[in-house]
Coordinates of all heavy atoms in Angstrom, one line a residue:
M127 N 83.4 72.4 -179.5 CA 82.1 72.3 -178.9 C 81.0 72.3 -180.0 O 80.1 71.6 -179.9 CB 81.9 73.5 -178.0 CG 80.5 73.7 -177.4 SD 80.6 73.8 -175.7 CE 78.9 73.8 -175.3
L128 N 81.1 73.2 -181.0 CA 80.1 73.3 -182.1 C 80.1 72.0 -182.9 O 79.0 71.6 -183.4 CB 80.4 74.4 -183.0 CG 80.0 75.8 -182.4 CD1 80.4 76.9 -183.4 CD2 78.5 75.9 -182.0
D129 N 81.2 71.3 -182.9 CA 81.3 70.0 -183.7 C 80.4 69.0 -183.1 O 80.0 68.0 -183.8 CB 82.7 69.5 -183.8 CG 83.6 70.4 -184.7 OD1 83.0 71.1 -185.6 OD2 84.8 70.4 -184.4
S130 N 80.0 69.1 -181.8 CA 79.2 68.1 -181.2 C 77.7 68.3 -181.4 O 76.9 67.5 -181.1 CB 79.4 68.1 -179.7 OG 79.0 69.3 -179.1
I131 N 77.3 69.4 -182.0 CA 75.9 69.7 -182.3 C 75.6 69.1 -183.7 O 76.2 69.5 -184.7 CB 75.7 71.2 -182.3 CG1 76.0 71.8 -180.9 CG2 74.2 71.5 -182.7 CD1 76.0 73.3 -180.8
P132 N 74.6 68.3 -183.8 CA 74.2 67.7 -185.1 C 73.3 68.6 -186.0 O 72.1 68.4 -186.2 CB 73.4 66.4 -184.6 CG 72.7 66.8 -183.4 CD 73.7 67.8 -182.7
F133 N 73.9 69.6 -186.5 CA 73.2 70.6 -187.3 C 72.5 70.0 -188.4 O 71.4 70.5 -188.8 CB 74.1 71.7 -187.8 CG 74.6 72.6 -186.7 CD1 75.9 72.6 -186.3 CD2 73.8 73.5 -186.1 CE1 76.4 73.4 -185.3 CE2 74.2 74.4 -185.1 CZ 75.6 74.3 -184.6
S134 N 73.0 69.0 -189.0 CA 72.3 68.4 -190.2 C 70.9 67.8 -189.8 O 70.2 67.5 -190.7 CB 73.2 67.3 -190.8 OG 73.4 66.2 -189.8
E135 N 70.7 67.6 -188.6 CA 69.4 67.0 -188.1 C 68.3 68.1 -187.9 O 67.2 67.7 -187.7 CB 69.6 66.2 -186.8 CG 70.5 65.0 -186.9 CD 70.7 64.3 -185.7 OE1 69.9 64.5 -184.7 OE2 71.6 63.5 -185.6
Y136 N 68.7 69.3 -188.1 CA 67.7 70.4 -187.8 C 67.3 71.0 -189.2 O 68.0 71.2 -190.1 CB 68.4 71.6 -187.0 CG 68.9 71.1 -185.7 CD1 70.2 71.2 -185.3 CD2 68.0 70.5 -184.7 CE1 70.7 70.7 -184.1 CE2 68.5 70.1 -183.5 CZ 69.8 70.2 -183.2 OH 70.3 69.8 -182.0
D137 N 66.0 71.3 -189.2 CA 65.4 71.9 -190.3 C 65.8 73.4 -190.5 O 65.9 74.0 -191.5 CB 63.9 71.9 -190.3 CG 63.3 70.5 -190.5 OD1 64.0 69.6 -191.1 OD2 62.3 70.2 -189.9
L138 N 66.0 74.0 -189.3 CA 66.3 75.5 -189.2 C 67.1 75.7 -188.0 O 66.9 75.3 -186.9 CB 65.1 76.3 -189.2 CG 65.2 77.8 -189.2 CD1 65.8 78.3 -190.5 CD2 63.9 78.5 -188.9
T139 N 68.2 76.6 -188.1 CA 69.0 77.0 -187.0 C 68.9 78.5 -186.9 O 69.0 79.2 -187.9 CB 70.5 76.6 -187.3 OG1 70.6 75.2 -187.4 CG2 71.4 77.0 -186.1
V140 N 68.8 79.0 -185.7 CA 68.7 80.4 -185.5 C 70.0 80.8 -184.8 O 70.3 80.3 -183.7 CB 67.5 80.8 -184.6 CG1 67.5 82.3 -184.3 CG2 66.2 80.5 -185.3
I141 N 70.7 81.7 -185.5 CA 72.0 82.3 -184.9 C 71.6 83.6 -184.3 O 71.4 84.6 -185.0 CB 73.1 82.5 -186.0 CG1 73.3 81.2 -186.8 CG2 74.3 83.0 -185.4 CD1 73.8 80.0 -186.0
N142 N 71.6 83.6 -182.9 CA 71.2 84.9 -182.2 C 72.5 85.4 -181.6 O 72.9 85.0 -180.6 CB 70.2 84.5 -181.1 CG 69.8 85.7 -180.3 OD1 69.8 86.8 -180.8 ND2 69.3 85.5 -179.1
Q143 N 73.1 86.3 -182.4 CA 74.3 87.0 -181.9 C 74.0 88.3 -181.3 O 73.1 89.0 -181.8 CB 75.3 87.0 -183.1 CG 74.8 87.8 -184.3 CD 75.9 88.0 -185.3 OE1 77.0 87.7 -185.2 NE2 75.5 88.6 -186.4
G144 N 74.8 88.7 -180.4 CA 74.6 90.0 -179.8 C 75.0 91.1 -180.8 O 74.3 91.9 -181.3
G145 N 76.3 91.1 -181.1 CA 76.9 92.1 -182.1 C 76.7 91.6 -183.5 O 76.7 90.3 -183.8
W146 N 76.6 92.5 -184.5 CA 76.4 92.1 -185.8 C 77.6 91.4 -186.5 O 77.5 90.7 -187.5 CB 76.1 93.3 -186.7 CG 77.1 94.4 -186.6 CD1 77.3 95.4 -185.7 CD2 78.3 94.5 -187.5 NE1 78.4 96.1 -185.9 CE2 79.0 95.6 -187.0 CE3 78.7 93.9 -188.6 CZ2 80.2 96.0 -187.6 CZ3 79.9 94.2 -189.2 CH2 80.6 95.3 -188.7
E147 N 78.8 91.5 -185.8 CA 80.0 90.9 -186.4 C 80.5 89.7 -185.7 O 81.5 89.1 -186.1 CB 81.1 92.0 -186.5 CG 81.9 92.1 -185.3 CD 81.3 92.7 -184.1 OE1 80.1 93.2 -184.1 OE2 81.9 92.6 -183.0
E148 N 79.8 89.2 -184.7 CA 80.3 88.0 -184.0 C 80.4 86.8 -184.8 O 81.3 85.9 -184.4 CB 79.4 87.8 -182.8 CG 79.5 88.9 -181.7 CD 78.5 88.7 -180.6 OE1 77.8 87.7 -180.5 OE2 78.5 89.6 -179.7
I149 N 79.7 86.6 -185.8 CA 79.8 85.4 -186.6 C 81.1 85.4 -187.5 O 81.4 84.4 -188.1 CB 78.6 85.2 -187.6 CG1 78.4 86.5 -188.4 CG2 77.4 84.8 -186.8 CD1 77.2 86.4 -189.4
L150 N 81.9 86.5 -187.4 CA 83.1 86.6 -188.1 C 84.3 86.0 -187.3 O 85.4 85.9 -187.8 CB 83.4 88.0 -188.5 CG 82.3 88.7 -189.4 CD1 82.8 90.1 -189.6 CD2 82.0 88.0 -190.6
H151 N 84.0 85.6 -186.1 CA 85.1 85.2 -185.2 C 84.9 83.7 -184.8 O 83.7 83.2 -184.8 CB 85.2 86.1 -183.9 CG 85.2 87.5 -184.3 ND1 86.4 88.1 -184.8 CD2 84.3 88.5 -184.2 CE1 86.1 89.4 -185.0 NE2 84.9 89.7 -184.6
A152 N 85.9 83.1 -184.4 CA 85.9 81.7 -183.9 C 85.0 81.7 -182.6 O 84.9 82.7 -181.9 CB 87.2 81.2 -183.5
P153 N 84.2 80.7 -182.5 CA 84.1 79.4 -183.2 C 83.1 79.5 -184.3 O 82.9 78.5 -185.0 CB 83.7 78.4 -182.1 CG 82.8 79.2 -181.3 CD 83.4 80.6 -181.2
F154 N 82.5 80.6 -184.6 CA 81.4 80.7 -185.6 C 81.8 81.0 -187.0 O 81.1 80.8 -188.0 CB 80.4 81.8 -185.2 CG 79.9 81.6 -183.8 CD1 80.3 82.4 -182.7 CD2 78.9 80.6 -183.6 CE1 79.8 82.2 -181.5 CE2 78.4 80.4 -182.3 CZ 78.9 81.1 -181.2
K155 N 83.0 81.4 -187.2 CA 83.5 81.9 -188.5 C 83.2 81.1 -189.7 O 82.7 81.6 -190.7 CB 85.1 82.0 -188.4 CG 85.7 82.7 -189.5 CD 87.2 83.0 -189.3 CE 87.7 83.8 -190.4 NZ 89.1 84.2 -190.1
N156 N 83.3 79.8 -189.6 CA 83.0 78.9 -190.7 C 81.7 78.0 -190.5 O 81.5 77.1 -191.3 CB 84.2 78.1 -191.1 CG 85.3 78.9 -191.6 OD1 85.2 79.7 -192.5 ND2 86.5 78.8 -190.9
L157 N 81.0 78.3 -189.5 CA 79.8 77.5 -189.2 C 78.8 77.5 -190.3 O 78.1 76.5 -190.5 CB 79.2 78.0 -187.9 CG 77.9 77.3 -187.4 CD1 78.2 75.8 -187.1 CD2 77.3 78.0 -186.2
N158 N 78.7 78.6 -191.0 CA 77.6 78.7 -192.1 C 77.8 77.6 -193.2 O 76.9 77.3 -193.9 CB 77.6 80.1 -192.7 CG 78.8 80.5 -193.4 OD1 79.9 80.0 -193.1 ND2 78.7 81.4 -194.3
K159 N 79.0 77.1 -193.3 CA 79.3 76.1 -194.3 C 78.6 74.7 -193.8 O 78.4 73.9 -194.7 CB 80.8 75.9 -194.5 CG 81.4 77.1 -195.1 CD 82.9 76.9 -195.1 CE 83.6 78.2 -195.6 NZ 85.0 78.2 -195.6
K160 N 78.3 74.6 -192.5 CA 77.7 73.4 -192.0 C 76.2 73.4 -191.9 O 75.5 72.5 -191.8 CB 78.2 73.0 -190.6 CG 79.7 72.7 -190.6 CD 80.1 72.5 -189.1 CE 81.6 72.2 -189.1 NZ 82.0 71.9 -187.7
L161 N 75.6 74.6 -192.1 CA 74.2 74.8 -191.9 C 73.5 74.8 -193.2 O 73.9 75.5 -194.2 CB 74.0 76.2 -191.2 CG 74.7 76.4 -189.9 CD1 74.4 77.8 -189.4 CD2 74.2 75.4 -188.9
Q162 N 72.4 74.0 -193.3 CA 71.6 74.0 -194.5 C 70.7 75.3 -194.5 O 70.6 76.0 -195.5 CB 70.7 72.8 -194.5 CG 71.5 71.5 -194.7 CD 72.2 71.5 -196.1 OE1 71.6 71.9 -197.1 NE2 73.4 71.1 -196.2
H163 N 69.9 75.5 -193.5 CA 69.0 76.6 -193.4 C 69.2 77.3 -192.1 O 69.1 76.7 -191.0 CB 67.5 76.1 -193.5 CG 67.3 75.3 -194.7 ND1 67.3 75.8 -196.0 CD2 67.1 74.0 -194.9 CE1 67.1 74.9 -196.9 NE2 67.0 73.7 -196.2
F164 N 69.3 78.7 -192.1 CA 69.5 79.4 -190.9 C 69.0 80.8 -191.0 O 68.9 81.4 -192.1 CB 71.0 79.4 -190.4 CG 72.0 80.0 -191.4 CD1 72.3 81.4 -191.3 CD2 72.6 79.3 -192.4 CE1 73.2 82.0 -192.2 CE2 73.5 79.9 -193.2 CZ 73.8 81.2 -193.1
I165 N 68.8 81.4 -189.8 CA 68.3 82.8 -189.7 C 69.3 83.5 -188.7 O 69.8 82.9 -187.8 CB 66.9 82.8 -189.0 CG1 65.9 82.3 -190.0 CG2 66.6 84.3 -188.6 CD1 64.5 82.1 -189.4
I166 N 69.7 84.7 -189.1 CA 70.6 85.5 -188.2 C 69.8 86.6 -187.5 O 69.1 87.4 -188.2 CB 71.8 86.1 -189.1 CG1 72.5 85.0 -189.8 CG2 72.6 87.0 -188.2 CD1 73.5 85.6 -190.8
T167 N 70.0 86.8 -186.2 CA 69.5 87.9 -185.5 C 70.7 88.7 -184.8 O 71.6 88.0 -184.4 CB 68.4 87.5 -184.4 OG1 69.0 86.8 -183.4 CG2 67.3 86.7 -185.1
N168 N 70.6 89.9 -184.7 CA 71.6 90.7 -183.9 C 71.0 92.0 -183.5 O 70.0 92.5 -184.0 CB 72.9 91.0 -184.8 CG 72.6 91.7 -186.0 OD1 72.3 92.9 -186.0 ND2 72.6 91.0 -187.2
H169 N 71.6 92.6 -182.4 CA 71.0 93.8 -181.9 C 72.0 94.9 -181.5 O 71.6 96.0 -181.2 CB 70.2 93.5 -180.6 CG 70.9 92.7 -179.6 ND1 71.8 93.3 -178.7 CD2 70.9 91.4 -179.4 CE1 72.3 92.3 -177.9 NE2 71.8 91.2 -178.3
N170 N 73.3 94.7 -181.6 CA 74.3 95.7 -181.3 C 74.9 96.2 -182.6 O 75.0 95.5 -183.6 CB 75.4 95.2 -180.5 CG 75.0 94.9 -179.0 OD1 74.0 95.5 -178.5 ND2 75.6 93.9 -178.4
Y171 N 75.2 97.5 -182.6 CA 75.8 98.1 -183.8 C 76.9 99.0 -183.4 O 76.8 99.8 -182.4 CB 74.7 98.9 -184.6 CG 75.3 99.5 -185.9 CD1 75.4 98.7 -187.0 CD2 75.6 100.8 -186.0 CE1 75.9 99.2 -188.2 CE2 76.1 101.3 -187.2 CZ 76.2 100.5 -188.3 OH 76.7 101.0 -189.4
N172 N 78.1 99.0 -184.1 CA 79.2 99.8 -183.8 C 79.5 100.7 -185.0 O 80.1 100.2 -186.0 CB 80.4 98.9 -183.4 CG 81.6 99.7 -183.1 OD1 81.7 100.9 -183.3 ND2 82.7 99.0 -182.8
E173 N 79.2 101.9 -185.0 CA 79.4 102.8 -186.1 C 80.9 103.0 -186.4 O 81.3 103.4 -187.5 CB 78.8 104.2 -185.9 CG 77.3 104.1 -185.9 CD 76.6 105.4 -185.8 OE1 77.2 106.4 -186.1 OE2 75.4 105.5 -185.3
Q174 N 81.8 102.8 -185.5 CA 83.2 103.0 -185.7 C 83.9 101.7 -186.2 O 85.1 101.7 -186.6 CB 83.9 103.4 -184.4 CG 83.7 104.9 -184.0 CD 82.3 105.1 -183.5 OE1 81.8 104.3 -182.7 NE2 81.7 106.2 -183.9
A175 N 83.2 100.7 -186.3 CA 83.8 99.4 -186.8 C 84.2 99.5 -188.3 O 83.5 100.1 -189.1 CB 82.8 98.2 -186.6
V176 N 85.4 98.9 -188.5 CA 85.9 98.9 -189.9 C 86.3 97.4 -190.2 O 87.1 96.9 -189.4 CB 87.2 99.8 -190.1 CG1 87.7 99.6 -191.5 CG2 86.8 101.2 -189.7
L177 N 85.7 96.8 -191.2 CA 85.9 95.4 -191.5 C 86.9 95.4 -192.6 O 86.9 96.1 -193.6 CB 84.6 94.8 -192.0 CG 83.6 94.5 -190.9 CD1 82.3 93.9 -191.6 CD2 84.1 93.7 -189.8
S178 N 87.8 94.4 -192.5 CA 88.8 94.1 -193.6 C 88.0 93.6 -194.8 O 86.9 93.1 -194.6 CB 89.8 93.1 -193.1 OG 89.2 91.8 -193.0
F179 N 88.6 93.6 -195.9 CA 88.0 93.1 -197.1 C 87.6 91.6 -196.9 O 86.5 91.2 -197.3 CB 88.9 93.2 -198.4 CG 88.3 92.7 -199.6 CD1 87.2 93.4 -200.2 CD2 88.7 91.5 -200.2 CE1 86.6 92.9 -201.4 CE2 88.1 91.0 -201.3 CZ 87.1 91.7 -201.9
Q180 N 88.5 90.8 -196.3 CA 88.2 89.4 -196.0 C 87.0 89.3 -195.1 O 86.1 88.4 -195.4 CB 89.4 88.8 -195.4 CG 89.2 87.3 -195.1 CD 90.5 86.7 -194.5 OE1 91.6 87.3 -194.5 NE2 90.4 85.5 -194.1
D181 N 86.9 90.1 -194.1 CA 85.7 90.0 -193.2 C 84.4 90.5 -193.9 O 83.4 90.0 -193.6 CB 86.0 90.8 -191.9 CG 86.8 90.1 -190.9 OD1 87.1 88.9 -191.1 OD2 87.3 90.8 -189.9
Q182 N 84.5 91.5 -194.7 CA 83.4 91.9 -195.5 C 82.9 90.8 -196.4 O 81.6 90.5 -196.4 CB 83.7 93.1 -196.4 CG 84.0 94.4 -195.6 CD 84.4 95.5 -196.6 OE1 83.9 95.6 -197.7 NE2 85.3 96.3 -196.1
R183 N 83.8 90.0 -197.0 CA 83.4 88.9 -197.8 C 82.7 87.8 -197.0 O 81.7 87.2 -197.4 CB 84.6 88.4 -198.6 CG 85.0 89.3 -199.8 CD 86.1 88.8 -200.5 NE 86.0 87.4 -200.9 CZ 87.0 86.6 -201.2 NH1 88.2 87.0 -201.3 NH2 86.8 85.3 -201.6
L184 N 83.3 87.5 -195.8 CA 82.8 86.5 -194.9 C 81.4 86.9 -194.4 O 80.5 86.1 -194.5 CB 83.7 86.3 -193.8 CG 83.3 85.2 -192.7 CD1 83.0 83.9 -193.4 CD2 84.3 85.1 -191.7
L185 N 81.2 88.1 -194.0 CA 79.9 88.6 -193.6 C 78.9 88.5 -194.7 O 77.8 88.1 -194.5 CB 80.0 90.0 -193.1 CG 78.7 90.6 -192.5 CD1 78.2 89.8 -191.4 CD2 78.9 92.1 -192.1
R186 N 79.3 88.9 -195.9 CA 78.4 88.8 -197.1 C 78.0 87.4 -197.3 O 76.8 87.1 -197.6 CB 79.1 89.4 -198.3 CG 78.3 89.3 -199.6 CD 76.9 89.8 -199.6 NE 76.9 91.2 -199.3 CZ 75.8 91.8 -198.8 NH1 74.6 91.2 -198.7 NH2 75.8 93.1 -198.5
S187 N 78.9 86.4 -197.2 CA 78.6 85.0 -197.4 C 77.5 84.5 -196.4 O 76.6 83.8 -196.7 CB 79.8 84.1 -197.4 OG 80.4 84.0 -196.1
W188 N 77.7 84.9 -195.2 CA 76.7 84.6 -194.1 C 75.3 85.2 -194.5 O 74.3 84.5 -194.5 CB 77.1 85.2 -192.8 CG 78.0 84.2 -191.9 CD1 79.3 84.2 -191.8 CD2 77.5 83.3 -191.0 NE1 79.7 83.3 -190.9 CE2 78.6 82.7 -190.4 CE3 76.2 82.8 -190.7 CZ2 78.5 81.6 -189.5 CZ3 76.1 81.8 -189.8 CH2 77.2 81.2 -189.1
L189 N 75.3 86.5 -194.7 CA 74.1 87.2 -195.0 C 73.4 86.7 -196.3 O 72.1 86.5 -196.3 CB 74.3 88.7 -195.1 CG 74.8 89.3 -193.9 CD1 75.1 90.8 -194.2 CD2 73.9 89.2 -192.7
D190 N 74.1 86.4 -197.3 CA 73.5 85.9 -198.5 C 72.9 84.5 -198.4 O 71.9 84.2 -199.0 CB 74.6 85.9 -199.7 CG 74.9 87.3 -200.2 OD1 74.1 88.2 -199.9 OD2 75.9 87.4 -200.9
K191 N 73.5 83.7 -197.6 CA 73.1 82.3 -197.4 C 71.9 82.2 -196.4 O 71.2 81.2 -196.4 CB 74.2 81.4 -197.0 CG 73.9 80.0 -197.0 CD 75.1 79.1 -196.7 CE 74.6 77.6 -196.6 NZ 75.7 76.7 -196.1
A192 N 71.8 83.2 -195.5 CA 70.7 83.1 -194.5 C 69.3 83.2 -195.1 O 69.1 83.9 -196.1 CB 70.9 84.3 -193.5
R193 N 68.4 82.5 -194.5 CA 67.0 82.5 -195.0 C 66.4 83.9 -194.6 O 65.7 84.5 -195.4 CB 66.2 81.5 -194.2 CG 66.4 80.1 -194.7 CD 65.4 79.8 -195.9 NE 65.7 78.5 -196.5 CZ 64.8 77.5 -196.4 NH1 63.7 77.6 -195.7 NH2 65.0 76.4 -197.0
M194 N 66.8 84.4 -193.5 CA 66.4 85.8 -193.0 C 67.4 86.4 -192.2 O 68.2 85.7 -191.6 CB 65.0 85.7 -192.3 CG 63.9 85.1 -193.0 SD 62.4 85.0 -192.1 CE 61.7 86.6 -192.6
N195 N 67.5 87.7 -192.2 CA 68.4 88.5 -191.4 C 67.6 89.5 -190.6 O 66.9 90.3 -191.2 CB 69.4 89.2 -192.2 CG 70.4 88.3 -192.9 OD1 71.2 87.6 -192.4 ND2 70.2 88.2 -194.3
F196 N 67.7 89.5 -189.2 CA 67.0 90.4 -188.4 C 68.0 91.3 -187.6 O 68.9 90.8 -187.1 CB 66.1 89.7 -187.4 CG 65.0 89.0 -188.0 CD1 65.1 87.6 -188.3 CD2 63.8 89.6 -188.4 CE1 64.0 86.9 -188.9 CE2 62.7 88.9 -189.0 CZ 62.9 87.5 -189.2
G197 N 67.7 92.6 -187.5 CA 68.4 93.5 -186.7 C 67.5 94.3 -185.9 O 66.4 94.5 -186.3
A198 N 67.9 94.8 -184.8 CA 67.1 95.5 -183.8 C 66.8 96.9 -184.3 O 65.7 97.5 -184.0 CB 67.7 95.6 -182.4
T199 N 67.6 97.5 -185.2 CA 67.4 98.8 -185.7 C 67.8 98.9 -187.2 O 68.4 98.0 -187.7 CB 68.3 99.9 -185.0 OG1 69.6 99.7 -185.3 CG2 68.1 99.8 -183.4
S200 N 67.4 100.0 -187.8 CA 67.7 100.1 -189.2 C 69.3 100.2 -189.4 O 69.8 99.8 -190.5 CB 67.1 101.3 -189.8 OG 67.5 102.5 -189.1
K201 N 70.0 100.6 -188.5 CA 71.5 100.7 -188.5 C 72.1 99.2 -188.7 O 73.0 99.1 -189.3 CB 72.1 101.4 -187.3 CG 71.9 102.9 -187.4 CD 72.5 103.5 -186.2 CE 72.3 105.0 -186.3 NZ 73.1 105.7 -185.2
N202 N 71.4 98.3 -188.0 CA 71.9 96.9 -188.1 C 71.7 96.4 -189.5 O 72.6 95.7 -190.0 CB 71.2 96.0 -187.1 CG 71.5 96.2 -185.7 OD1 70.8 96.9 -185.0 ND2 72.6 95.6 -185.3
I203 N 70.6 96.7 -190.1 CA 70.3 96.2 -191.4 C 71.2 96.9 -192.5 O 71.8 96.3 -193.3 CB 68.8 96.5 -191.8 CG1 67.9 95.9 -190.7 CG2 68.5 96.0 -193.2 CD1 68.1 94.4 -190.5

């Protein structure tokens, strides 16, 4: 489904995820490699969540490449 979206035609893409870790799962997991410019928003936070080293690296790659990162609370940030 995501392959049908012409992301290269957009100046900016907004990734509005509910949970802060949803971009780590299919179908979004590698989407950041296709996006030129994007912003990430999220609003849920799970204090008990534990990320594997691989997921930490993936999340860092998303956050580092994003133009901006927004969270609903300081815990998200």
Side-chain angles (χ1 to χ4, degrees):
M127 174 127 187
L128 287 177
D129 291 335
S130 66
I131 300 172
F133 289 109
S134 62
E135 296 180 18
Y136 302 118
D137 294 329
L138 182 67
T139 302
V140 177
I141 306 296
N142 181 23
Q143 58 174 354
W146 58 272
E147 86 294 347
E148 290 175 5
I149 53 178
L150 303 179
H151 308 287
F154 304 104
K155 189 173 185 173
N156 295 305
L157 179 62
N158 65 336
K159 296 174 184 173
K160 296 180 180 182
L161 304 175
Q162 290 297 319
H163 305 289
F164 62 90
I165 293 171
I166 300 171
T167 66
N168 61 74
H169 53 82
N170 291 332
Y171 185 75
N172 178 357
E173 291 186 25
Q174 285 74 42
V176 177
L177 292 179
S178 68
F179 180 71
Q180 181 178 352
D181 282 346
Q182 289 177 38
R183 288 180 47 200
L184 180 57
L185 183 59
R186 174 57 56 200
S187 72
W188 268 96
L189 298 176
D190 287 346
K191 190 176 176 191
R193 286 272 175 111
M194 300 181 96
N195 295 289
F196 293 98
T199 68
S200 60
K201 287 183 179 184
N202 289 96
I203 303 304

